[in-house]
Amino acid sequence: MHIIVVGLNHKTAPVELREKLYFPSENIEEPLKRVTSLPQISEALILSTCNRVEIVAVTRDIREGTEEIRNFLSSYHGIPMSQLDSCLYSYDSCDAIKHIFQVASGLDSMVVGEPQILGQLKDAYSLANKYKTSNAILHRFLHRAFSVAKKVRTETKIATSAVSISYAAVELAKKIFDTLKDKVVMLIGAGEMSELAARHLLNHGVKEILIANRTHSRAIKLADVLGGRPVVFEDITLFLDQADIVISSTGSANYIIRSDDVVRVLKIRKHKPMFFIDIAVPRDIDPRINDISNVYLYDIDDLEGVVGTNIKMREEEAKKAERIIEKEIGQFNKWLGTLSAVPTVVSLRERFEEIRKKEVEKTISSLNGSSEVDVKVLDALTTSIINKILHYPVTQLKTLDNTREGNYFVDAVRKLFDLEEK
Amino acid sequence: MNTLFFKIVLVFYLAGTLSYLLYLFKQRPRISKAATIILTSGFVFHTISLILRYLEAGYTPITNLYEAPSFLAWAIVGVYLFIQFKYRVTSLGSFISPVASILTLVSSAFSKEIVPLSPVLRSFWLPIHVILAFLGDAIFALAFCAGVMYLMQEHQIKSKKIGSFYHRLPSLKLLDDINHYSLTIGFLLLTMAMVTGSIWARHAWGAFWSWDAKQVWSLLTWVFYAALLHGRINIGWRGRVAAIFAILGFFAVMFSFLGVNTLLSGLHTYDR
C-alpha cells in the first residue's frame, strides 16, 4: 500500500487553470466516489482551495494509481492532458508524506506559515470521512499531518509575525498600546487601503473610528459601513487630540498633519502615545513627527520593511520546520510498511509462539521433572493448536492484502494483538 | 548551615539567569518553564537560608555587606516572581535575574561570619526600617529593568529596525505601566522607610536627622523619585523620560545602598 499525491498549486499552474480544476465542496461526493472506484485506488481525499487542487490517495501500484488519477482530473474537468501535463505534479511514498506534512504546516503556501490551509485540509479530510472514502491509512496519515502541523506551529515561530501591511500595522499598534480596546482611530482619506487597515483594527476591538475625507459624502458613506463617525476634513486638527491611531491616505500634495500640530495636540493629551500610519504617496504626514517623544510614525516603506523582515524570519523558521517534518516522515513510513500482511503475519506468529513457549515452560516446571508427560508431545500439541487457530486468519489476511479492506484488517490485527512498533 | 544554603542559592540564581537569558534568544516555552522553576527553587532556598541565618544570629540578617545585598536580591526575586505569576511577563526575568545574581555575587565577596550586633542596632525598629527600605529598593529595581526594556523596545519601534527583540519584549504600554506602578509603590515604601528611620534615629542617635551620609543620599534619591512622580502625575511625563529617570534613580538607590557603606563613612556604617 502506497500513498500518492497528484495535483497542482499556485507555483505550477496559473489561476485560469486552477479555477477550472476547482472541486466545490458542496458536490465533492461524486468525484470522491469516482476516484475510489478507480481500479488501483482504495482511499482518497480531495483538497481543493483557490491555491491548490490535490488528490491524496492510497494505491496498490504507484505508477498505475498515479496515471489513473491524472486521467481522472483530465476527464472529469474536460481538460485535455496536453494542457494539464506540465502543471501537474505527483508524489509517492515518502515524498507524498513529506508533501502533505509541508502543506499542513503551511510551508508550501504562498505566504509561508499561513494557518488557513490547515483548516482547509481538515475540512477535506472530514468530507472524505463523511462520504467514507477514507480508511485506516488516510485516517492515520491525516491525523499525523495535523499533529505535525501543530508541532511546527508550537516549536517554531513560523506563524507569529505579520506578513501583510495592514497586519504589520496592527501588530505595531499592539506593541505600542498593548490593547486596542479603548483606542480611537482616525482615518484621513477614505481609500481602500485605509479601510482595510481600519477593519483589522476594528477586529481587534478599537473603541471608535473617526473618518475624514475631502469629499465629505464619502466619509459619511464609509462611516456608515464601518460604524464610525464622520469628521469634516477641515476640522481634522480639532479632533486630532482624540485619536490614538491615525491612518492617512489622501492624494494631497502637501503635508496634512504638521509637526507643530502634533506637538500641540500631545500637550492636550498629556503625552499619551500616538501612532501615525501614513500610507499615502506623496506622504501626508510630516516625517519629523517621529522624533517627538511618544509619537510613532510609519510610512508605507517602513511598513513594507517590517513585512520584509518578518517574511525573512518566517523563511528562517521554515528551515526548522523542515527538520521537524523530516523526523516525522520516517516514523510514519515505518508504520505504513508494517501494514502489508507479510510482516504482520510474522509478528503475529511470533507473539503466539512467545505465549506458547512461556506456558509450556510453566507447565514443565510445575510437573517437577516427573516423566509422566513427554516434553516433546507437549510441544507438538501446543504448536499444532496454534497453527490450527492461526490458519484461517492468516490465509484471510493474505488474500485480503491489497484489497480495499485489507489495511483495515491488518491494522485491526495489529491493534488486537498489540503488535504495534514500539 | 545558612552559608551552605547561600552557596546553593548562588548556583540556582546563576543557573536561573542563564536560562532566562537563553529564553530571550530562543523563545521556547520549555526554557521559560525551566527558568521559572530554577529561579523559584533558588528563592525557596534563599528563604530557608535567611531563616537559618536569623535563627543562628538572633537578628534580622540585614546588617552587614554580606547580609544586605543578599537580602535585597531575595526581595527582588520575590517581587519579580509575584509579578511573573500574576502578569506573565517572562521577558522581564531576563533583565531582573542578572540584577539579583550580581547582588548575590557582591554578597558572596564579603565575610559571612556572624558578628555580635552593635548595641544601637538591637531594636525592633531594625527589621521594620530595613525591610521597608529593601522592599522599596527591590521595586525600584523592577522599574529599572522595565526602563531598560522600554528604551530597547522604543528604539526598535522608532528606528523602524524591527529585530528579534521586537517580538520578545512586551508592549511599551505594559512597560510604562510597570514603571508607573513600581514608582508609586516604591516611593511610598521609601518614604515610610525614611520616616521609620528618623523615628528610630531619634531614639538611637538622639536626633531625627543628623546629616549622615546614608540619610543624605536617601534624601537625594527620595527627591529624585518625587520629581519623577510629580512629572508623571502633573506634567504627563511618561515613556522614554520616565524610563530614563527610573534607570538613573536606581543608580542613586544602588549608591546609597552599597556605595555609601563602602566608600563613605557615617552613622550607618556598622560593620567596620
Side-chain angles (χ1 to χ4, degrees):
Chain A
M1 285 295 138
H2 310 276
I3 290 175
I4 55 170
V5 176
V6 179
L8 44 71
N9 65 16
H10 55 94
K11 289 175 201 158
T12 67
V15 64
E16 297 79 36
L17 191 60
R18 296 204 304 269
E19 62 193 12
K20 274 187 206 153
L21 259 75
Y22 187 74
F23 291 94
S25 58
E26 309 87 70
N27 317 317
I28 201 82
E29 183 175 5
E30 198 227 331
L32 271 175
K33 293 254 155 89
R34 272 183 62 182
V35 174
T36 42
S37 64
L38 293 168
Q40 294 295 332
I41 307 297
S42 55
E43 303 179 34
L45 79 76
I46 298 178
L47 173 65
S48 180
T49 75
C50 51
N51 282 330
R52 65 180 68 244
V53 174
E54 297 191 355
I55 296 183
V56 187
V58 177
T59 178
R60 281 170 287 278
D61 185 290
I62 292 170
R63 210 180 47 81
E64 281 177 41
T66 308
E67 207 44 47
E68 282 174 9
I69 291 180
R70 282 164 56 92
N71 290 331
F72 163 78
L73 281 172
S74 161
S75 65
Y76 186 84
H77 294 287
I79 304 165
M81 202 47 180
S82 55
Q83 208 184 324
L84 211 53
D85 194 42
S86 61
C87 303
L88 279 182
Y89 48 76
S90 53
Y91 299 105
D92 62 79
S93 314
C94 277
D95 294 333
I97 297 168
K98 184 178 179 177
H99 178 72
I100 292 302
F101 284 1
Q102 284 171 332
V103 168
S105 317
L107 295 181
D108 198 46
S109 301
M110 194 140 38
V111 176
V112 172
E114 60 99 7
Q116 262 175 339
I117 184 67
L118 182 61
Q120 289 162 335
L121 189 61
K122 282 183 175 165
D123 291 343
Y125 169 65
S126 65
L127 284 171
N129 261 347
K130 188 174 162 195
Y131 299 118
K132 303 203 166 44
T133 62
S134 62
N135 215 323
I137 293 185
L138 280 192
H139 285 316
R140 184 97 167 220
F141 180 39
L142 268 296
H143 281 290
R144 200 69 242 156
F146 300 149
S147 84
V148 170
K150 195 179 165 206
K151 202 168 177 190
V152 164
R153 215 150 287 266
T154 49
E155 290 188 11
T156 72
K157 278 171 293 195
I158 196 149
T160 49
S161 52
V163 286
S164 72
I165 299 271
S166 45
Y167 260 116
V170 170
E171 200 180 80
L172 276 161
K174 282 185 147 181
K175 279 292 178 193
I176 295 168
F177 299 113
D178 207 61
T179 165
L180 304 181
K181 285 260 150 55
D182 50 348
K183 297 294 172 277
V184 177
V185 179
M186 182 188 267
L187 290 187
I188 305 174
E192 209 177 303
M193 273 279 258
S194 50
E195 188 187 330
L196 189 66
R199 280 188 193 280
H200 276 311
L201 290 167
L202 274 174
N203 285 342
H204 285 86
V206 294
K207 192 174 78 182
E208 196 180 10
I209 294 199
L210 308 174
I211 301 162
N213 196 59
R214 222 182 272 281
T215 324
H216 193 59
S217 59
R218 282 202 60 192
I220 295 172
K221 218 170 131 196
L222 188 59
D224 261 359
V225 177
L226 294 175
R229 184 151 63 96
V231 169
V232 177
F233 193 79
E234 285 67 31
D235 292 348
I236 289 172
T237 45
L238 295 178
F239 286 89
L240 199 57
D241 64 297
Q242 296 177 24
D244 302 288
I245 300 168
V246 178
I247 303 173
S248 192
S249 62
T250 74
S252 164
N254 311 86
Y255 293 146
I256 290 173
I257 291 175
R258 287 173 326 232
S259 193
D260 39 336
D261 290 332
V262 177
V263 172
R264 183 182 55 80
V265 159
L266 215 58
K267 273 198 196 115
I268 305 171
R269 290 171 58 82
K270 279 196 147 189
H271 301 274
K272 271 198 296 183
M274 292 181 88
F275 180 29
F276 290 86
I277 301 161
D278 187 353
I279 42 186
V281 180
R283 288 177 293 182
D284 283 344
I285 302 172
D286 187 344
R288 281 178 304 174
I289 70 160
N290 193 48
D291 300 333
I292 303 169
S293 210
N294 298 314
V295 174
Y296 307 89
L297 167 67
Y298 272 68
D299 64 31
I300 190 82
D301 282 4
D302 299 332
L303 288 172
E304 258 158 20
V306 173
V307 168
T309 345
N310 285 350
I311 287 176
K312 252 187 230 144
M313 196 180 91
R314 281 193 178 201
E315 279 159 5
E316 280 302 305
E317 293 299 307
K319 286 179 198 154
K320 276 189 218 162
E322 293 286 359
R323 261 173 269 152
I324 294 174
I325 288 176
E326 217 52 64
K327 262 190 233 157
E328 298 280 341
I329 297 170
Q331 276 182 18
F332 184 77
N333 203 39
K334 209 167 152 196
W335 174 79
L336 199 60
T338 64
L339 268 196
S340 64
V342 180
T344 305
V345 167
V346 170
S347 26
L348 188 64
R349 282 195 184 286
E350 276 169 7
R351 168 55 48 92
F352 274 62
E353 180 62 19
E354 195 184 302
I355 297 168
R356 190 193 66 80
K357 264 192 187 148
K358 225 187 242 165
E359 294 305 313
V360 167
E361 270 162 27
K362 245 197 232 162
T363 313
I364 292 169
S365 67
S366 73
L367 288 175
N368 255 337
S370 68
S371 54
E372 281 165 47
V373 182
D374 193 342
V375 177
K376 272 185 191 160
V377 175
L378 204 58
D379 258 335
L381 170 70
T382 48
T383 311
S384 110
I385 290 176
I386 280 176
N387 283 341
K388 283 271 154 60
I389 291 175
L390 280 179
H391 176 73
Y392 190 68
V394 165
T395 19
Q396 197 66 359
L397 273 180
K398 280 182 177 163
T399 44
L400 282 172
D401 194 19
N402 289 336
T403 66
R404 201 150 296 177
E405 302 88 43
N407 305 312
Y408 179 75
F409 281 105
V410 169
D411 197 43
V413 165
R414 299 194 78 87
K415 282 211 177 86
L416 285 175
F417 294 99
D418 192 24
L419 307 178
E420 293 294 317
E421 292 288 316
K422 294 276 150 56
Chain B
M1 258 316 253
N2 73 76
T3 52
L4 170 72
F5 271 96
F6 178 77
K7 276 172 200 148
I8 299 174
V9 169
L10 190 57
V11 171
F12 269 93
Y13 280 0
L14 290 175
T17 303
L18 282 180
S19 326
Y20 271 109
L21 290 177
L22 190 67
Y23 174 66
L24 196 59
F25 292 97
K26 284 199 173 284
Q27 298 260 297
R28 293 281 171 76
R30 244 180 285 156
I31 302 177
S32 94
K33 231 179 238 166
T36 310
I37 290 169
I38 296 171
L39 195 69
T40 312
S41 326
F43 181 71
V44 170
F45 283 119
H46 206 162
T47 312
I48 296 171
S49 144
L50 289 173
I51 292 171
L52 288 175
R53 178 101 182 168
Y54 176 79
L55 295 175
E56 281 166 41
Y59 58 82
T60 324
I62 34 183
T63 57
N64 58 39
L65 283 170
Y66 159 66
E67 292 166 347
S70 155
F71 194 86
L72 181 57
W74 176 81
I76 288 174
V77 173
V79 168
Y80 166 69
L81 286 176
F82 173 76
I83 288 187
Q84 191 196 316
F85 285 118
K86 204 150 179 220
Y87 301 101
R88 316 239 144 250
V89 274
T90 317
S91 52
L92 189 59
S94 314
F95 292 80
I96 206 127
S97 58
V99 177
S101 290
I102 290 169
L103 281 169
T104 320
L105 278 172
V106 168
S107 199
S108 68
F110 290 93
S111 158
K112 296 173 183 61
E113 226 175 295
I114 295 175
V115 285
L117 205 56
S118 81
V120 73
L121 288 178
R122 283 185 206 138
S123 158
F124 69 95
W125 285 109
L126 173 72
I128 297 174
H129 167 64
V130 182
I131 287 175
L132 282 171
F134 279 26
L135 271 182
D137 290 353
I139 287 168
F140 286 137
L142 204 68
F144 164 77
C145 290
V148 172
M149 289 162 81
Y150 186 96
L151 293 184
M152 286 171 74
Q153 183 68 297
E154 199 218 21
H155 175 75
Q156 299 248 318
I157 296 177
K158 275 264 184 192
S159 68
K160 291 149 191 179
K161 289 193 190 82
I162 301 299
S164 47
F165 280 123
Y166 167 75
H167 296 287
R168 285 154 201 196
L169 296 175
S171 67
L172 293 177
K173 167 79 164 63
L174 182 69
L175 292 169
D176 195 47
D177 281 351
I178 295 177
N179 177 294
H180 180 82
Y181 294 131
S182 44
L183 186 70
T184 317
I185 298 168
F187 184 74
L188 198 72
L189 289 167
L190 178 63
T191 311
M192 276 157 48
M194 287 176 69
V195 169
T196 52
S198 57
I199 295 171
W200 184 16
R202 175 81 180 82
H203 293 288
W205 305 331
F208 286 114
W209 189 260
S210 8
W211 295 104
D212 155 62
K214 188 154 258 181
Q215 284 181 326
V216 173
W217 271 96
S218 300
L219 183 65
L220 286 176
T221 314
W222 187 87
V223 169
F224 189 84
Y225 279 116
L228 173 54
L229 204 59
H230 169 75
R232 275 209 82 108
I233 295 166
N234 298 317
I235 313 171
W237 281 359
R238 59 172 83 224
R240 190 182 168 74
V241 184
I244 293 172
F245 256 88
I247 292 167
L248 294 177
F250 188 63
F251 283 120
V253 166
M254 280 333 273
F255 187 76
S256 52
F257 175 67
L258 289 175
V260 168
N261 285 63
T262 47
L263 303 174
L264 310 173
S265 61
L267 294 167
H268 268 90
T269 318
Y270 297 109
D271 60 337
R272 265 196 259 171

